[in-house]
Amino acid sequence: MEVDSENNAPSSPMRQESDNDRPPPEKNEIKIEYHPSSHKEPLYFSFYDYNPAADLGTSSTEADESETHAKNKPWHPFRSRLDFEVAELILDTHMNKKQTDALISLIKQCANDPDSFTLSDSKDLSNVWQAARTRTTAFEHKTIKIPYPKTKSKTFVEFDVWSRPLWEWCHELLTDHNIVSKFQWDAQRLYKFNGTNFERCINEPWTADAWWNAQSRIPEGGQPLCILLYADKTQLTSFGTAKGYPVLARCANLPVELRNGKGVAGGRLVGWLPIVKEDAGETGKRSFVNLKRIVWHDGFKEILKSIVEYAKTGIWQNCADGIRRWLFPIILILSADYEEQCFMALIRGIGSLFPCPVCLVPQDELSDLLKEFEPRTTTSMKKVYEEAQELGRLKRADAKEAKLKSHGLRDVENVFWSLENTDVYSAISWDRLHAYHEGLFSDHLWELFKGIVERLGKDSAHLIDTQIDAIPRWSGLNHFASIMKTGEFADGSKYEDMSKIIVYASHNVLNPETTEEGYLLLKLIRSYLELDMYASLTMHTDTTLAAGHAELLVFNNLLKKYKKDYPDKNWNFPKAHTHQHLFGDIKNKGVTRNFNSKPNENAHRPLKKFYLHHSNFKKVDPQILRLDENSVVALMIRAEIDADAERAAAKTNESADLGPQDQLRMPNILGSDHISVGSPLSANSLAQTEADNAQDLAFRDFRKKIIPYQYVKVHYESVIDWEIKTNILRINPNFHHNARYDYVLLQARNDDYIFAQLLHVFGILYNDQTHYLALIMPMDVPVPRSDSNRGRDRDLRFTRVISRPRSAAVVVDIEAILRGALLVKDVGAELPGEHIVLEVIDPDLWWRMKSIKLANKVDFA
């Protein structure tokens, strides 16, 4: 049964009521306001009842009804489920023909049930994959002919383009019963009541402005189908010259966990663009430069052509949930590095008069972040291009070129201009990976840092490396034994983590007395770190956006001083400018993980493995794409098998009462939902523990029987996106051959917050109940007013804490621990026990530190 989307109101556990009919809001109450064309009333619910997945535009029961559509054998055309699972393993591990035959031979010998496994050899498996590929849209091949060396030449150059029709991919998602219930169809505005007013919150694309504006442009009753596209040329191997040019698509209507994931709802390879080979006789010529752009855009035309008409008129689509929707495909986000952005926008790039693909900033003003410049739009750039073509028709070639140069444009028509409701210049998005970690930091700030340290001498470099190695380990943070002599990293996360720690490991070396330039650079890097933390947030509010804009001005002022004092460095390069668009992109398209290229670059890995393990290194494009089709089919089959299993498990649970056996299946948590302990040691007496640690004053007067534990798992609610996060903390004298005693942020009493170091965690049995306690070293000694480091703390925004003497250790309930923390010992400090909080390890700790006030001399009695 089909129903019109506009007549089908989704069922929801949340309250729908007008603003005039409701009581005053409670603190942290959530409000969702929908686009007027959706004809939905606002939703209100308490903070603790809020579940972003609860209102998905489709009732969950509709998705559950997909069971009636499920095939009895979702692994078809494989002859059995075991056949598919073996084939899936072979695909995932990239076995070659010889390895495949060996594995199948072994399985046939070992199988207890020979009838359940029917594959005979690699050829048989290849035939089944060929049949299976009919379940998904195959790549289409086309040879495009480009006149060259002139646009009116009678000679042509030919290029091969491979593409999956973009609409066929959309259709697969819309008709998938396991996915359609996860779609968001209407723009919305998300608010949280802060005690005074409802403050806007932005995370997913549908909570931002561009989606809202797109829905305002399409006809009443229509709904946006928002697409993210990514393109990037990549080396297929670390050796040799083989390259590929994949184009990936993601559906912005799906939640980020699915959209950036690896399943059927994640990224899909939709194109394989041709690469124009360099020619020593042609490289650098204007005609050859333009040829590369023509090939790119003609190739992309094949990818987009299936949605061009639908972008104008919309298309009525019968979705898998039984609802008929009028959908308008829109390219909302284009994700790419700067080089690819120049191709997308068809601008001249570095060295041109206007090198930004988003706005018309002059080349010599790229580093001025205070000025705002006219944005590029499809309307304005198309007008410039058409005026230039008219000059060409009048045989005024020089005037035509001057017209294009005056806006930094190439003499090529942009394929994205053919899409209604898509603006290529606003779709191009700031890329955190390439703009910051592999751009502004790695190529500029880091290079300046190394140069300054090198001039200070080997002793300074050695001291920094020693202090880098001394930074305690932290889960998710790369540990560096040294950095001063490291080469380039291929992984941007290495640069990201390096940027987090170098200020904390070098501030006593690059001090104002030793090097004024080095100290100013540390202040600039510290401001960059603040901006990177704002860029990393998975939820933004009006408050964080305003604070981010303010920090951009701080960075601009520091950069202006650096340019004035040390003018040898030229800061007028695109990646010094592009973060001016950072907060505008967040407001328009949601948080940066929506358009960061990092998950897309990760999708290159299987393509490179296909090339390395499965191709004959000749005419590799169709070989790689055929294997990608196998991967898509495997994902589809796996999703159906898993969905069948989940439905069967749900039915079993519904038809049976939960009894003791169900309790046995639950994980055995030692502690509570907030905090738990693990890695227990042998039971010991407090007297024995005291004796074992007789030389440590912290263990004086320890008595009674206990069980020590070597790790603590802390679950806490993030103050950024309200999601549950986890820290695993170690209390271990020999963790991977190193002593590790982690730090925590602890709520001692009410609003008394302190940092502390875990010394010992143990459980003690009393009245048949185990109480979990921690021996901690509080870091709550007041920092003296006379401390000479106060100026440095202010300039570099350090939070300095001082630990008590070992004899002043205290025992606390582990429930007092809020979350884990990372502290760095200040080796150049005046007093023993001085530490600096490395608060940029994650957004939650960083943002907490802007609001909490640390207590001194807490009384734990």
Side-chain angles (χ1 to χ4, degrees), residues 169 248-250 258-269 600:
W169 164 71
L248 270 74
R250 298 181 189 270
L258 293 178
R259 184 173 67 246
N260 285 353
K262 297 180 179 179
V264 178
R268 183 72 60 87
L269 187 66
N600 299 309

Side-chain angles (χ1 to χ4, degrees), residues 131-145:
R133 286 197 293 272
T134 60
R135 296 183 56 153
T136 187
T137 305
F139 280 93
E140 298 176 356
H141 171 254
K142 181 176 180 179
T143 300
I144 56 175
K145 294 183 177 182

Side-chain angles (χ1 to χ4, degrees), residues 64-82:
D64 292 341
E65 289 171 2
S66 65
E67 182 181 5
T68 60
H69 303 281
K71 299 179 178 68
N72 292 328
K73 297 181 179 179
W75 48 83
H76 182 78
F78 290 89
R79 293 181 288 269
S80 71
R81 175 171 175 170
L82 183 58

